[in-house]
Amino acid sequence: MVRIPKSDNPRIVIIGGGFAGIKLVKKLKNLPVQIVLFDRNNYHTFQPLLYQVATAGLEPDSIADPLRKQLEPVKNFFFRMAEVYSVDSSTNSIQTEIGELSYDYLVIATGSKTNYFGNESIMDHAFPLKQIPQALDLRSHILQNFESATISDDEKEKTSRMNIAIVGGGPTGVEVAGALGELKKSILPKDYPELDFKNMNITLLEGTSRLLNGMSESASNRAIKYLKKFDVHVKLNTLVTTYDGHKAHLDNGETIETHTLIWAAGVQGNYPAGLPEESIYKSRLKVDRTNKLIGTENIYAIGDIATMTTDEYPSGHPMLAQVAIQQGRLLAENFKRLLQGKEPKPFEYNDKGSMATIGRNKAVADLPGNIRLGGLIAWLLWMFVHLISIIGFRNKIIVFSNWVWNYFTYDKGTRLIIRRFVPKKLKIKNEAV
């Protein structure tokens, strides 16, 4: 049994300390409820900047903040660092690695995990980019490859260690490719003058006919143009069939010699076992307009894990931070209404736009009102939005100072191999949440 004090107030158990979970907890702080938050880590990760940790632009502590520190002003709040294995709706309880806990209301805000689409070879050898440890592994691996290239007498081996392939043309893939292009153009040649960077190939592979499928055609075309300026090779309508850690085989018969393949091609829902079958839809959890899980009376899902179909969003809302934040805010309001005996309000998404950066002075933005921006203006807007969205004043200062330093010095000071990455199978098995 999880050690949580008994309370006369209803107990709301929240699984997941991401954007949705944190917003919900903060908005519940004045309600007569007991709040219990579970997360496998004791910190919140600002995932939109995770790629900058992987590409030596930021250190992990600048995009992460302790959950206890963030939520300490909330009354009657308890945090437990533990994985949640399963839900038993018949007994209103969850099973975790530290024991069982009952709930009056359960909120699942567990987000998403990497989707390898059943490809075992990619699962074993590619680098995902969903968590801070994965970003640190990738950074160390890339830098170790360049160190190995400097001492290699085999030109083919040297080139293979320098080459990098990114799979997935969404915002993550585009941003990683742009950041690596910046490294190749301005920074790595100074660190490794004995290497010929004309031989280094950065390749972005996308299985559909364009990049940034969730954004406008204009944004897609601009992204390709900007990536080419950073000497990134873009291959559309191209899939990776197998990857053995050294060679990627493509569905068009081509191969790419590379020791580094970054997988940003898709995600899937990450939820505990035991939920009703009718609530599971394409690896996510199906909810009604109030975020209540289909087939349940007191279980809710918010953020990336939730699929809410509407006329405007027949396949569910986009898996964006703004959706998670807005759903967390409304669910807190609906809990208040529920305690007052009032009807809950339906969720209406306020689309504030989408954006992606492709490197120095280059970004794309689709804003409400059919406004399409690119270049320097979009890049400055991207920086401003992300800076104000980072949790914690200290983190805002650190990130801003790093960006200013990087901009004026053309340098990224975090090219440190703090812990050597030892190649091993990265296979993901039945992840708990």
Side-chain angles (χ1 to χ4, degrees):
M1 184 72 69
V2 179
R3 295 185 61 184
I4 299 291
K6 291 184 179 180
S7 174
D8 294 330
N9 295 324
R11 175 183 289 163
I12 300 177
V13 173
I14 304 165
I15 310 174
F19 291 108
I22 284 184
K23 178 58 69 173
L24 175 59
V25 172
K26 288 183 175 180
K27 291 297 180 180
L28 288 172
K29 67 179 180 180
N30 295 321
L31 293 186
V33 295
Q34 184 188 71
I35 309 163
V36 183
L37 174 67
F38 285 89
D39 196 283
R40 71 175 68 184
N41 300 309
N42 75 332
Y43 55 85
H44 165 79
T45 303
F46 189 73
Q47 287 195 346
L49 293 182
L50 199 58
Y51 81 95
Q52 292 201 10
V53 174
T55 55
L58 295 170
E59 284 294 359
D61 64 345
S62 61
I63 67 163
D65 210 50
L67 287 167
R68 290 183 182 274
K69 172 189 169 186
Q70 274 296 313
L71 302 172
E72 62 185 11
V74 181
K75 298 176 182 178
N76 210 17
F77 166 74
F78 300 90
F79 170 72
R80 295 293 181 262
M81 189 177 77
E83 294 183 346
V84 177
Y85 297 136
S86 63
V87 176
D88 188 343
S89 58
S90 65
T91 60
N92 287 337
S93 63
I94 60 171
Q95 187 65 45
T96 80
E97 65 175 307
I98 57 174
E100 185 178 330
L101 183 69
S102 63
Y103 61 81
D104 292 292
Y105 301 98
L106 176 65
V107 181
I108 301 172
T110 45
S112 59
K113 61 183 179 180
T114 304
N115 187 358
Y116 297 96
F117 303 101
N119 193 314
E120 293 282 341
S121 67
I122 292 173
M123 193 182 299
D124 288 345
H125 300 290
F127 284 84
L129 196 54
K130 287 289 290 179
Q131 303 169 14
I132 284 179
Q134 294 171 348
L136 291 174
D137 284 344
L138 176 57
R139 185 172 78 185
S140 293
H141 173 76
I142 290 172
L143 294 173
Q144 286 169 216
N145 273 333
F146 281 102
E147 296 295 339
S148 297
T150 62
I151 59 175
S152 176
D153 293 325
D154 186 329
E155 289 301 320
K156 186 178 179 180
E157 170 79 4
K158 185 180 296 187
T159 300
S160 179
R161 289 191 176 276
M162 295 171 65
N163 290 343
I164 300 175
I166 306 104
V167 183
T172 298
V174 167
E175 290 175 344
V176 169
L180 290 170
E182 274 195 275
L183 283 173
K184 175 185 175 181
K185 185 176 180 181
S186 305
I187 296 171
L188 292 177
K190 298 175 185 177
D191 284 357
Y192 304 98
E194 62 267 54
L195 297 178
D196 184 358
F197 281 85
K198 292 179 181 178
N199 295 328
M200 177 186 178
N201 289 312
I202 301 171
T203 307
L204 177 61
L205 303 161
E206 166 57 36
T208 66
S209 60
R210 69 183 187 91
L211 301 180
L212 301 174
N213 273 297
M215 297 182 68
S216 64
E217 191 78 32
S218 170
S220 174
N221 294 334
R222 279 175 165 159
I224 291 176
K225 181 178 71 173
Y226 296 154
L227 286 169
K228 287 181 178 179
K229 290 185 178 180
F230 285 115
D231 200 23
V232 174
H233 305 288
V234 178
K235 290 181 177 290
L236 302 176
N237 298 307
T238 304
L239 300 175
V240 177
T241 56
T242 59
Y243 177 62
D244 62 5
H246 303 283
K247 184 181 292 186
H249 294 269
L250 312 183
D251 63 346
N252 60 7
E254 297 179 19
T255 60
I256 297 176
E257 302 278 351
T258 178
H259 279 59
T260 307
L261 187 140
I262 303 169
W263 188 257
V267 294
Q268 59 184 331
N270 186 27
Y271 53 85
L275 298 172
E277 286 296 325
E278 64 264 33
S279 69
I280 300 171
Y281 177 74
K282 294 183 178 179
S283 87
R284 296 168 72 187
L285 301 180
K286 193 171 183 179
V287 299
D288 64 17
R289 293 297 301 277
T290 66
N291 282 98
K292 183 189 292 184
L293 200 64
I294 300 298
T296 70
E297 291 299 321
N298 58 347
I299 301 178
Y300 297 81
I302 53 177
D304 286 0
I305 190 63
T307 297
M308 180 190 298
T309 57
T310 66
D311 291 339
E312 190 174 357
Y313 298 96
S315 299
H317 296 87
M319 298 169 79
L320 299 174
Q322 269 303 317
V323 175
I325 291 168
Q326 292 177 34
Q327 288 184 345
R329 182 186 297 119
L330 180 66
L331 184 56
E333 182 181 342
N334 280 338
F335 273 129
K336 181 179 180 179
R337 295 178 67 86
L338 187 65
L339 294 174
Q340 295 173 341
K342 298 179 180 179
E343 288 295 315
K345 292 181 178 180
F347 177 71
E348 294 290 345
Y349 176 46
N350 178 19
D351 187 358
K352 296 185 177 181
S354 302
M355 55 184 67
T357 182
I358 303 97
R360 174 184 295 262
N361 298 336
K362 296 174 178 63
V364 291
D366 291 345
L367 304 179
N370 204 30
I371 298 173
R372 312 290 184 231
L373 300 178
L376 178 61
I377 294 176
W379 185 69
L380 292 172
L381 179 62
W382 178 93
M383 287 200 300
F384 174 75
V385 169
H386 283 72
L387 196 62
I388 64 173
S389 301
I390 294 172
I391 291 180
F393 180 74
R394 168 189 171 274
N395 288 358
K396 296 180 195 291
I397 295 298
I398 292 174
V399 170
F400 179 70
S401 61
N402 268 272
W403 285 352
V404 171
W405 175 263
N406 295 346
Y407 188 80
F408 288 105
T409 64
Y410 285 82
D411 186 32
K412 295 187 178 184
T414 60
R415 300 185 303 282
L416 309 173
I417 305 174
I418 300 297
R419 56 177 193 178
R420 289 180 63 86
F421 174 74
V422 179
K424 60 181 179 181
K425 286 190 175 183
L426 303 175
K427 190 172 185 177
I428 309 299
K429 297 180 180 178
N430 299 324
E431 292 180 347
V433 296

